[in-house]
Amino acid sequence: MAENNQSIFDMINHYGPYVGMVIIGIAVLLVLLYYLRLGTLKEFKQKYDYINKNEIDVLWRSAVIILIGAVIWVNALFGETEFLWLAVKIFVSGMLALIIGVIIQNVLRFYFPFYIEKRLKKLRYTPRISPKTGKPMKLLSEEEEDVYLDEGMQAEEDIFSVDYDVWVDEETGYTKIEKYSGHLHALQCSECNYQTLKVVKEEIIKSPTVTEDGELMKYFKCSYCGHKARKTFHIAKLKEPSPEAASSDSSAQA
């Protein structure tokens, strides 16, 4: 029995450091593959979507894998001959890893979004290059871009579910429309200053008409401190139907 136990400890002490390093290497490889993939993307919008969708998740998974590998590696560094001391070492190192994991999770959840937001804004508003002329294109204002958006797109923007950016090559008229989520990212909370204030409810207080703007009430709640806020937004008035559309509707009803 003692010989069996000793052989088990010998295996742990011999192979443990290698297993731990392999696991840590896998985590590092995941991060490297993520940034290599990011580097292969040519379009700013592609980079924007890829970072927004994957970066925090990749970093969090890699951190968890590194912590697991570190626990295995540290516990195999020192030769043990008793299961009791090995169990104590695993418990203590596991608790330390758990504490470090919680710290990393909070950093990625509450602080890292500020860094990501800056990068995403830079990617979103960096001038696009026209494939026709090779020159920078112009980003249209909210008022100017409506000419290039259909009624469905305008309706999405009116209720803030989607935000469209319209880039135009003024020389050739070439246009590029990019779609972004209307409230994809959390805002900065005025109470705790974390970027954790999110929309939890939207309510149309006053529907728009062809003569008057409408009003939309957005309700926010901070996922960290629980602070609640609300803000009113204007909804653009409806467009009057064109004479052609009106005549076709009348014909259909007849």
Side-chain angles (χ1 to χ4, degrees):
M1 183 68 179
E3 292 181 357
N4 291 336
N5 290 343
Q6 185 60 44
S7 63
I8 293 174
F9 284 118
D10 289 341
M11 289 180 60
I12 293 174
N13 297 331
H14 180 72
Y15 294 107
Y18 299 106
V19 173
M21 286 188 288
V22 168
I23 293 176
I24 293 173
I26 291 173
V28 174
L29 182 61
L30 285 176
V31 176
L32 289 177
L33 288 175
Y34 166 79
Y35 284 108
L36 284 174
R37 169 59 178 159
L38 180 62
T40 62
L41 300 176
K42 303 301 182 183
E43 296 285 338
F44 289 116
K45 181 63 166 62
Q46 290 178 323
K47 291 178 180 288
Y48 181 102
D49 291 337
Y50 189 70
I51 291 173
N52 181 65
K53 182 180 179 181
N54 299 299
E55 185 153 315
I56 289 180
D57 288 339
V58 169
L59 293 178
W60 169 238
R61 287 197 299 267
S62 299
V64 171
I65 295 173
I66 287 175
L67 290 173
I68 293 173
V71 169
I72 295 174
W73 182 61
V74 168
N75 282 283
L77 281 178
F78 308 101
E80 291 292 345
T81 57
E82 295 185 14
F83 282 110
L84 177 60
W85 286 111
L86 179 61
V88 170
K89 281 172 53 182
I90 292 174
F91 175 78
V92 172
S93 59
M95 289 299 99
L96 289 175
L98 180 62
I99 293 172
I100 295 173
V102 171
I103 294 173
I104 293 174
Q105 185 183 45
N106 285 331
V107 169
L108 291 175
R109 183 180 178 186
F110 299 122
Y111 292 100
F112 198 68
F114 286 97
Y115 170 67
I116 286 185
E117 191 69 24
K118 290 180 180 179
R119 291 167 60 202
L120 293 181
K121 284 182 178 179
K122 183 177 180 180
L123 288 171
R124 180 171 178 178
Y125 298 115
T126 296
R128 305 317 191 227
I129 303 300
S130 171
K132 304 292 185 180
T133 62
K135 297 179 180 179
M137 302 169 68
K138 176 186 177 183
L139 177 62
L140 300 185
S141 65
E142 292 292 332
E143 294 75 18
E144 294 173 324
E145 70 183 19
D146 285 347
V147 178
Y148 299 89
L149 304 179
D150 59 35
E151 292 184 358
M153 292 177 173
Q154 293 181 42
E156 287 178 315
E157 285 206 322
D158 287 342
I159 62 172
F160 301 95
S161 63
V162 172
D163 192 17
Y164 290 96
D165 286 352
V166 180
W167 296 86
V168 175
D169 181 346
E170 295 181 295
E171 289 187 20
T172 65
Y174 172 80
T175 61
K176 183 181 182 67
I177 300 176
E178 296 179 350
K179 182 178 181 179
Y180 298 89
S181 177
H183 44 77
L184 182 62
H185 308 294
L187 303 175
Q188 184 171 354
C189 177
S190 59
E191 294 295 317
C192 64
N193 291 322
Y194 290 130
Q195 196 158 332
T196 47
L197 193 68
K198 295 184 178 181
V199 176
V200 294
K201 181 182 177 183
E202 293 181 351
E203 180 182 2
I204 296 179
I205 300 175
K206 180 182 177 183
S207 298
T209 66
V210 294
T211 57
E212 293 183 341
D213 291 341
E215 288 187 359
L216 174 75
M217 180 71 76
K218 298 179 77 170
Y219 298 86
F220 301 84
K221 183 177 180 180
C222 177
S223 59
Y224 179 72
C225 69
H227 173 68
K228 296 181 180 180
R230 61 182 182 178
K231 187 176 180 180
T232 303
F233 295 85
H234 290 289
I235 304 176
K237 62 184 66 174
L238 302 177
K239 289 187 176 181
E240 294 188 15
S242 61
E244 294 81 2
S247 61
S248 62
D249 290 342
S250 301
S251 300
Q253 292 177 358

